[in-house]
């Protein structure tokens, strides 16, 4: 199928589900792309996986009582996010350990609940693997409203969230309530995951949250630019993935993930600053011209100081450095 045929199908009234699927994929990509920049910056991809699994008992309970599955998943995800934020304040155990305990327990609870309900597999399959072509108009409204709220909160508390991510101790010294901003970020991740479940499924939703942001991280050192590039990459991946899946009759969620992964690999090898091939060529040139190597290293050191956003700035980052990074 060529692109013209795909867009012709998009305008076909008999295929009204197709443009709705594209709109849903785009909105989910934007929400997850922006939230995912914070996830990647803090090195907390595991929390996205935890939330994706922790919504499962909520889905199971909602199915048993014939309630709203999205609402059930949201409540379960929020409860898990709050528990992670509370338990993670005990620095004797790191955040990853707490998440590992809670999300496995939550998923196990969902398995136990749903296993006692006959005929569950077909109804919950769409939430495990995605059902982007079966989206209702009400779902579009819910995702749009949720997306506006999430993006608005991120914009409103952008500086505080970045400061906490860069240096928690400096954030405390600046009077920022670290616990509440940890909790806020976990809640926003929960909403991003829940609204994307129908697009890409409970199992694959982590890719939509992390892969575009990780790709953007390879392309820029600036948080503001990263928050623009990440949703753009997610949207491009969603469009191409939907086109390929529609033309070749492939699973939509899995195809979108594979396209995003391909874009990530291209950035990994070809990124102007961080690309493996680009670095190899640069090293080869520097070995041939060692004098230029010294000059370029000196220029790089003076040009990049204070401009990068690294997730590892925790122990020796100063208060002034945190403020400078936030200002950018």
């Amino acid at each position: 199928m060529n692109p013209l045929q795909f867009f012709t199908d998009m305008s076909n009234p008999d295929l009204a589900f197709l443009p709705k699927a594209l709109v849903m994929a785009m909105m989910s990509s934007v929400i997850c792309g922006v939230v995912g920049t914070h996830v990647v910056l803090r090195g907390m991809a595991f929390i996205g996986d935890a939330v994706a699994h922790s919504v499962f008992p909520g889905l199971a309970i909602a199915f048993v009582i014939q309630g709203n599955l999205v609402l059930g998943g949201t409540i379960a995800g929020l409860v898990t996010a709050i528990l992670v934020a509370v338990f993670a304040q005990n620095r004797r155990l790191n955040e990853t350990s707490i998440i590992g305990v809670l999300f496995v327990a939550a998923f196990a609870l969902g398995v136990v609940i749903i296993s006692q309900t006959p005929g569950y597999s077909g109804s919950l399959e769409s939430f495990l693997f995605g059902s982007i072509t079966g989206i209702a108009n009400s779902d579009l409204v819910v995702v749009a409203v949720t997306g506006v709220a999430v993006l608005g909160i991120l914009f409103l508390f952008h500086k505080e969230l970045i400061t906490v991510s860069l240096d928690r101790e400096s954030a405390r010294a600046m009077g920022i309530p670290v616990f509440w901003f940890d909790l806020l970020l976990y809640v926003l991740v929960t909403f991003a995951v829940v609204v994307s479940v129908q697009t890409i499924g409970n199992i694959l939703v982590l890719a939509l949250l992390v892969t575009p942001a990780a790709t953007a991280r390879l392309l820029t050192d600036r948080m503001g630019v990263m928050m623009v590039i990440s949703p753009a990459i997610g949207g491009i991946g969603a469009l191409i993935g939907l086109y390929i899946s529609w033309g070749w009759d492939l699973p939509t969620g899995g195809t979108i993930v594979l396209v995003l992964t391909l874009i990530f690999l291209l950035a990994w090898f070809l990124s102007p600053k961080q690309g493996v091939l680009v670095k190899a060529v640069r090293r080869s040139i520097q070995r041939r011209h060692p004098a230029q190597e010294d000059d370029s290293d000196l220029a790089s050191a003076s040009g990049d100081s204070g401009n990068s956003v690294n997730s590892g700035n925790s122990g020796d980052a100063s208060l002034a450095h945190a403020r400078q990074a936030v200002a950018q």
Side-chain angles (χ1 to χ4, degrees):
M1 172 184 289
N2 59 51
L4 181 60
Q5 291 175 317
F6 174 69
F7 287 106
T8 300
D9 288 344
M10 292 279 293
S11 60
N12 189 341
D14 295 331
L15 301 173
F17 63 87
L18 194 57
K20 286 194 294 185
L22 180 60
V23 171
M24 176 66 86
M26 289 295 185
M27 288 193 297
S28 299
S29 298
V30 171
I31 298 170
C32 285
V34 177
V35 174
T37 57
H38 291 276
V39 172
V40 170
L41 178 63
R42 293 185 60 164
M44 52 179 283
F46 199 27
I47 184 62
D49 197 25
V51 171
H53 284 78
S54 67
V55 302
F56 187 64
L59 300 176
I61 294 173
F63 177 77
V64 170
I65 66 176
Q66 297 183 345
N68 186 283
L69 297 181
V70 175
L71 178 60
T74 301
I75 294 174
L78 289 176
V79 170
T80 303
I82 293 171
L83 290 176
V84 169
V86 171
F87 283 108
Q89 299 307 303
N90 182 354
R91 310 315 291 180
R92 188 175 182 86
L93 288 176
N94 63 33
E95 195 175 65
T96 303
S97 300
I98 299 297
I99 293 170
V101 171
L102 292 180
F103 98 74
V104 171
F107 193 75
L109 176 62
V111 171
V112 170
I113 293 173
I114 205 63
S115 65
Q116 303 302 311
T117 306
Y120 65 89
S121 58
S123 299
L124 287 177
E125 182 180 359
S126 62
F127 283 88
L128 292 175
F129 304 105
S131 180
I132 195 172
T133 55
I135 293 171
N137 291 331
S138 58
D139 294 332
L140 292 176
V141 175
V142 169
V143 172
V145 172
T146 303
V148 170
V150 168
L151 296 179
I153 292 171
L154 283 173
F155 177 78
L156 185 63
F157 297 108
H158 174 75
K159 290 185 177 181
E160 291 82 357
L161 288 169
I162 296 299
T163 304
V164 173
S165 298
L166 289 174
D167 191 342
R168 301 172 67 85
E169 296 307 319
S170 293
R172 288 192 177 95
M174 295 169 66
I176 297 175
V178 173
F179 168 76
W180 292 108
F181 280 102
D182 281 344
L183 179 58
L184 176 63
L185 184 57
Y186 294 154
V187 169
L188 295 178
V189 170
T190 299
F191 280 118
V193 167
V194 171
V195 300
S196 304
V197 163
Q198 284 181 282
T199 302
I200 207 165
N202 181 269
I203 295 176
L204 300 175
V205 69
L206 183 64
L208 200 61
L209 188 69
V210 174
T211 306
T215 305
R217 184 70 182 89
L218 294 173
L219 300 175
T220 182
D221 292 330
R222 295 186 176 275
M223 188 63 180
V225 178
M226 185 178 170
M227 294 182 75
V228 173
I229 295 177
S230 176
I233 292 173
I236 293 172
L239 175 61
I240 297 175
L242 183 61
Y243 164 69
I244 294 175
S245 67
W246 178 250
W248 282 272
D249 193 23
L250 299 173
T252 304
T255 305
I256 292 174
V257 170
L258 291 176
V259 171
L260 291 175
T261 304
L262 178 60
I263 296 174
F264 171 81
L265 292 175
L266 290 174
W268 178 272
F269 285 103
L270 302 177
S271 170
K273 289 186 177 180
Q274 304 296 331
V276 174
L277 293 180
V278 174
K279 284 184 176 181
V281 172
R282 188 179 299 138
R283 282 195 298 268
S284 176
I285 294 175
Q286 289 173 347
R287 280 196 296 267
R288 296 178 182 177
H289 306 282
Q292 293 182 7
E293 176 183 358
D294 295 337
D295 294 340
S296 63
D297 288 344
L298 181 60
S300 176
S302 61
D304 291 342
S305 60
N307 289 329
S308 62
V309 178
N310 294 314
S311 59
N313 292 343
S314 57
D316 55 355
S318 64
L319 179 61
H321 176 73
R323 284 174 173 160
Q324 183 182 11
V326 171
Q328 295 173 358

